[in-house]
Structure formats: structure tokens, C-alpha cells
Amino acid sequence: MMNIAKEHKVNEQIRVRQIRLIGAEGEQVGIIDTRDAMQMAREAGMDLVMVSPQAVPPVCRLLDYGRFRYEQQQNEKENRKRARAQEVKAIKFRVKIDDHDFNTKTGHVRRFLEEGHKVKVTIMFRGRERTHPELGERILVRVAEVLADVGAPESNPSMMGMDMNMIMTPKAAPAPKKERAAVAEDGSAPAAPGDSAAAASA
């Protein structure tokens, strides 16, 4: 279907005398009086929609406008959902991070991965710490190992300025919200094959 602007004239809103009409199946009907096109739309149980107001004469099409708008809104909703799912989150670690902070930050990364997001894990170096990149790489490897059940590194760690970065990508589709809420409330996931391994690494 041709691209149609969100705001366009429909039926009685079309005031011009003549239009170029496109039929419901995309066929070219030709230039006809607007009132004749309106009659055709009524007989077909459809709407007359102006799809190209700048043309001379304007181009209109026979459509089920209500269905078209519904499908358009569903597509926009799905595109927004897909865009959110592809959002890259960011979590930063220090080279000299203690176990508590490591577990907390790793927990955030796990949550983002479970929601279907990619996560950029960054190790921030200070001063002379930069002369020991292996320390940062060791932390990133540890993060990847802890989260192996829900994600995997997209590539090897890389240095950029004073930071070392690694992108983690989710392994599976996002879990349903209700299921994630149940896990958060009682601390245990529903019994299923493979759950014991996930619980052991959490």
C-alpha cells in the first residue's frame, strides 16, 4: 500500500471538483468528478481518502479508512516496541570494584538482557590503571561468565580512550512481565528444564 500521511482528508472533507482516483486494489481509475468518486466509495462500502493533495488534480484512493488507521497504528506500535527492544543500555564498572558493587551492577546488566536490550559494559580506568588493561579485561570476562545464561559478548573487549568496552547481547526473547514479576517476588523461577542452571549462576 502506498505511503499515506497521518493527517489527510476523507470523504466530505475533500472539497475539490475533480480528483485522480485509485481503486481499492491499486488500479488506476483516472480523473473523475469528486462526487462520482464519493458515490463509488459509498457503493463499495469504503472511504474516499486523499493520498496526494499536492498533485494536480489531487490523488484519492478507495480505502476502508478505519481498518487502515488501525493497521497503521499497530505498525507504529510494533516499530516503537522494536526500537525499545534494540536500545543499548550502559553500565560502568571500576577496575577496583568490590564484590558487592560487582554483584549489584551485574544484576542490572542481567535485568536489561532479560528485557531484550543490548548492554554496553564499560570499565573505567583511572591514572596508572590504564597500564594494566588486563585488569579490566578480567572483570569483563567475569561479567560474561556470570551472565552466560542470559547473554553473550557481541565481540572482544576493546579500548576507547580511558575506557574498555564490551557489548553484551541477549540470548533469548524477553520473558513475559508477569513471569519476571513472579521471580522477583519469591526469588525462584517456575520449574522448567534448564532452570536449575540459571538459578545456580544468578
Side-chain angles (χ1 to χ4, degrees):
M1 181 179 290
M2 67 172 60
N3 186 29
I4 301 178
K6 291 182 180 180
E7 298 297 332
H8 37 266
K9 295 180 179 179
V10 182
N11 298 328
E12 288 78 8
Q13 296 173 349
I14 301 172
R15 302 292 187 180
V16 296
R17 187 175 67 85
Q18 286 190 323
I19 61 166
R20 183 180 298 277
L21 181 63
I22 300 175
E25 301 300 324
E27 71 277 14
Q28 295 286 340
V29 178
I31 298 175
I32 65 174
D33 286 348
T34 303
R35 61 183 179 182
D36 293 336
M38 287 288 296
Q39 181 62 31
M40 291 174 62
R42 282 193 291 268
E43 291 175 354
M46 307 191 82
D47 300 293
L48 185 65
V49 182
M50 186 177 288
V51 297
S52 182
Q54 305 303 324
V56 180
V59 179
C60 295
R61 182 166 182 169
L62 297 180
L63 288 172
D64 180 339
Y65 187 62
R67 179 179 177 184
F68 165 75
R69 285 297 291 149
Y70 172 78
E71 291 177 350
Q72 188 179 54
Q73 289 165 359
Q74 290 300 109
N75 288 337
E76 291 170 356
K77 182 178 179 181
E78 186 62 30
N79 289 337
R80 289 194 298 269
K81 182 178 178 181
R82 191 176 297 115
R84 287 195 299 270
Q86 293 173 347
E87 181 182 355
V88 178
K89 300 291 187 177
I91 296 291
K92 295 183 178 182
F93 290 71
R94 294 286 186 187
V95 173
K96 297 178 180 179
I97 190 170
D98 59 38
D99 287 341
H100 179 267
D101 284 345
F102 176 87
N103 292 334
T104 298
K105 290 179 179 291
T106 303
H108 293 325
V109 178
R110 174 178 293 277
R111 176 166 55 84
F112 290 143
L113 290 171
E114 289 176 343
E115 291 174 352
H117 301 290
K118 288 187 177 183
V119 185
K120 179 181 179 182
V121 182
T122 298
I123 305 298
M124 298 183 296
F125 292 87
R126 286 178 173 175
R128 296 177 62 85
E129 291 176 350
R130 195 180 177 208
T131 61
H132 297 283
E134 70 279 1
L135 298 179
E137 189 168 353
R138 191 178 303 164
I139 294 174
L140 293 179
V141 169
R142 184 182 172 194
V143 170
E145 289 176 347
V146 170
L147 301 175
D149 59 315
V150 292
E154 189 173 72
S155 60
N156 293 328
S158 61
M159 288 293 299
M160 182 174 292
M162 292 292 288
D163 298 336
M164 178 178 285
N165 303 306
M166 177 180 73
I167 302 293
M168 292 284 292
T169 59
K171 275 191 173 181
K177 289 185 177 179
K178 289 184 179 179
E179 181 178 325
R180 290 203 303 270
V183 173
E185 287 175 3
D186 61 17
S188 62
D195 277 2
S196 58
S201 61

